[in-house]
């Protein structure tokens, strides 16, 4: 896992790339908590989102959940293979299970996210 | 922390979905669990959040029946002979974490309540030897099985699957969880047999009279409160201002929402 990866309280991760883009996914905890995933809807390339806005939706056997943008920016790439291979999210949530790449609008957004220890503490505090 | 409950008059699909969305906001504002118990007028099929519209249009057994799309997941439900509830909790609530928490909590308390009315039900759990109907390949909720569904035995029930009499599904919002659920009281005779699943009245020897439904739900709400160690506050009047609900219902009545997939 890249050292620079950070997390939103809503369980998305964001990883700055050397290209300046930010790769976004959802955490292993969120994937496991949702159980069997059956459908995912991702945004179109070119869409502008603000941090905290819905970026897409994911459906499991029991629940539909929004996926929120951890940072503001423009969607420049979408993992189009993912909705057809949702098992990838369980196998490799921080790698091939990425959702989108954003061109960030404000570098300060990353600073507002949780680092790994803080996110781990958040997960431990969740009702079981 | 208290449990707030509203008993609402039957309404159409868009108004019910709008009221439930407002219920989620209410739970956040109050910081506690809020529930709405309600019926449907007219008979309505609610689709799961991402069920394909083309499948609904092709399902002849519900031809001509009103359709609304829920924000929650799961399969299609024919409403009209069921008891529907919505429960909303903040994500910080003890039942606001993993989806199975709220699902099991409300189904287990209903199981206990049914027991007090002489109905033996169980929470269905998948066994390794049982191949459950896959989550997404059955159109109707009551043809599917997922862990925690409430089932009873009875004629025609496959031993390992039982007859599903209560199922629920959630919409997980930013700060709250909204759970929809349906307890099937009796077969719905307004739809063709393929869409008409047996309910308590059809499955229980001696039947389950309509007059027993409200006492059952009252016992269930008390059991939910008991499980939380809290008190029930039965709110008077309908939940939310009718005009506000009707304004919000426009979105749920729109073609864009109903046929979003």
């Amino acid at each position: 896992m890249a050292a620079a990866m950070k997390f939103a309280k809503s369980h998305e991760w964001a990883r700055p790339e050397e290209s300046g883009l930010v790769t976004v996914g959802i955490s292993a905890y969120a994937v496991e908590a949702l159980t069997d995933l059956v459908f995912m809807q991702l945004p179109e390339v070119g869409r502008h989102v603000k941090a905290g806005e819905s970026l897409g939706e994911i459906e499991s056997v029991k629940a539909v959940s929004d996926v929120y943008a951890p940072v503001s920016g423009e969607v420049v790439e979408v993992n189009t293979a993912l909705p057809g291979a949702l098992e990838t999210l369980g196998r490799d949530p921080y790698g091939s299970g990425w959702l989108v790449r954003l061109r960030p609008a404000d570098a300060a957004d990353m600073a507002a996210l949780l680092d790994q220890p803080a996110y781990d503490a958040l997960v431990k505090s969740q009702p079981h | 922390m208290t449990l707030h409950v509203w008993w609402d008059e039957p309404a159409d699909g868009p108004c019910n979905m709008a009221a439930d969305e407002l219920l989620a906001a209410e739970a956040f504002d109050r910081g506690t669990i809020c529930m709405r118990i309600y019926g449907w007028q007219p008979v309505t099929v609610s689709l799961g959040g991402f069920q394909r519209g083309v499948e609904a249009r092709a399902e002849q057994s519900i031809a001509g029946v009103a359709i609304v799309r829920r924000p929650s997941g799961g399969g299609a439900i024919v409403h009209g002979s069921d008891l529907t509830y919505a429960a909303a909790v903040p994500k910080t609530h003890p039942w606001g974490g993993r989806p199975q928490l709220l699902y099991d909590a409300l189904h287990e308390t209903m199981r206990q309540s049914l027991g007090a009315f002489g109905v033996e039900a169980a929470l269905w759990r998948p066994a390794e030897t049982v191949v459950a109907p896959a989550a997404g390949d059955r159109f109707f909720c009551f043809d599917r099985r997922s862990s925690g569904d409430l089932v009873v035995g009875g004629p025609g029930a496959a031993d390992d699957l039982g007859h599903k009499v209560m199922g629920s599904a959630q919409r997980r919002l930013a700060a709250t969880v909204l759970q929809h659920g349906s307890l099937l009281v009796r077969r719905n005779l307004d739809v063709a047999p393929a869409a008409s699943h047996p309910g308590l009245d059809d499955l229980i020897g001696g039947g389950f009279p309509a007059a027993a439904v409200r006492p059952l739900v009252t016992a269930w709400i008390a059991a939910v409160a008991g499980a939380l160690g809290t008190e029930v506050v039965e709110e008077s009047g309908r939940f939310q201002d009718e005009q506000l609900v009707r304004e919000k219902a426009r979105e749920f009545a729109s073609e864009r929402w109903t046929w979003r997939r």
Side-chain angles (χ1 to χ4, degrees):
Chain A
M1 194 183 300
M5 181 181 289
K6 297 185 86 172
F7 297 83
K9 289 179 180 174
S10 47
H11 305 290
E12 294 81 11
W13 56 261
R15 183 177 59 223
E17 309 291 354
E18 288 183 4
S19 62
L21 301 180
V22 173
T23 303
V24 173
I26 57 177
S27 75
Y29 167 81
V31 174
E32 197 266 333
L34 286 170
T35 65
D36 301 325
L37 304 178
V38 295
F39 182 75
M40 174 168 249
Q41 190 170 61
L42 292 173
E44 293 186 352
V45 168
R47 191 178 141 200
H48 291 261
V49 291
K50 291 182 179 174
E53 267 185 10
S54 178
L55 194 58
E57 293 170 273
I58 188 162
E59 181 177 22
S60 66
V61 169
K62 291 194 170 59
V64 173
S65 305
D66 283 295
V67 176
Y68 297 98
V71 298
S72 301
E74 179 188 0
V75 177
V76 295
E77 196 176 349
V78 174
N79 187 353
T80 53
L82 194 59
L86 289 172
E87 66 279 6
T88 309
L89 276 169
R91 280 204 311 265
D92 191 15
Y94 302 110
S96 52
W98 64 279
L99 271 54
V100 298
R101 293 201 169 95
L102 299 173
R103 178 174 292 118
D106 185 351
D109 283 349
M110 283 298 294
L113 299 175
L114 304 174
D115 60 17
Q116 185 78 54
Y119 180 69
D120 290 345
L122 174 75
V123 168
K124 278 187 181 173
S125 72
Q126 299 289 297
H128 294 291
Chain B
M1 187 185 291
T2 47
L3 163 57
H4 297 265
V5 180
W6 288 263
W7 297 77
D8 271 352
E9 294 297 313
D12 63 23
C15 284
N16 275 332
M17 294 302 97
D20 290 344
E21 193 167 286
L22 292 166
L23 186 78
E26 188 81 18
F28 179 76
D29 289 344
R30 293 181 185 245
T32 189
I33 183 169
C34 292
M35 296 180 71
R36 199 170 78 87
I37 312 294
Y38 58 94
W40 301 71
Q41 184 62 247
V43 170
T44 300
V45 174
S46 72
L47 302 179
F50 281 113
Q51 283 196 280
R52 291 180 186 277
V54 67
E55 290 180 26
R57 286 178 161 132
E59 184 58 57
Q60 288 302 307
S61 63
I62 55 169
V65 179
I67 288 179
V68 70
R69 186 180 292 277
R70 303 189 305 269
S72 52
I77 297 177
V78 181
H79 300 282
S81 66
D82 67 323
L83 186 289
T84 309
Y85 77 88
V89 296
K91 282 187 169 172
T92 51
H93 186 275
W95 293 344
R98 293 167 184 268
Q100 196 77 43
L101 284 172
L102 184 59
Y103 202 87
D104 280 358
L106 297 189
H107 286 207
E108 171 57 20
T109 46
M110 178 58 85
R111 187 196 67 77
Q112 294 167 9
S113 304
L114 283 168
F117 282 73
V119 178
E120 190 176 334
L123 265 60
W124 187 84
R125 299 292 186 203
E128 289 182 6
T129 55
V130 176
V131 179
D137 68 356
R138 301 289 182 98
F139 180 72
F140 291 109
C141 165
F142 286 96
D143 285 333
R144 302 180 178 189
R145 297 292 181 279
S146 64
S147 183
D149 285 345
L150 201 58
V151 297
V152 300
D159 287 346
D160 292 325
L161 293 178
H163 287 288
K164 180 173 174 178
V165 293
M166 186 174 181
S168 300
Q170 298 173 2
R171 176 75 196 201
R172 302 185 68 81
L173 300 161
T176 53
V177 179
L178 171 66
Q179 180 164 305
H180 282 135
S182 171
L183 177 72
L184 205 44
V185 178
R186 65 186 58 79
R187 275 190 188 280
N188 194 313
L189 301 178
D190 292 310
V191 292
S196 179
H197 300 84
L200 293 174
D201 192 44
D202 310 291
L203 297 167
I204 308 306
F208 194 86
V213 174
R214 178 138 188 159
L216 169 67
V217 177
T218 300
W220 175 49
I221 289 166
V224 172
L228 285 168
T230 189
E231 292 181 355
V232 178
V233 177
E234 290 214 6
E235 303 285 351
S236 59
R238 59 183 303 129
F239 173 69
Q240 283 292 356
D241 172 69
E242 190 171 359
Q243 186 59 31
L244 178 64
V245 170
R246 289 205 175 277
E247 282 173 19
K248 202 162 189 57
R250 287 183 195 153
E251 183 188 345
F252 288 103
S254 70
E255 295 279 305
R256 186 188 61 80
W257 169 258
T258 306
W259 306 112
R260 69 185 294 219
R261 187 181 184 224

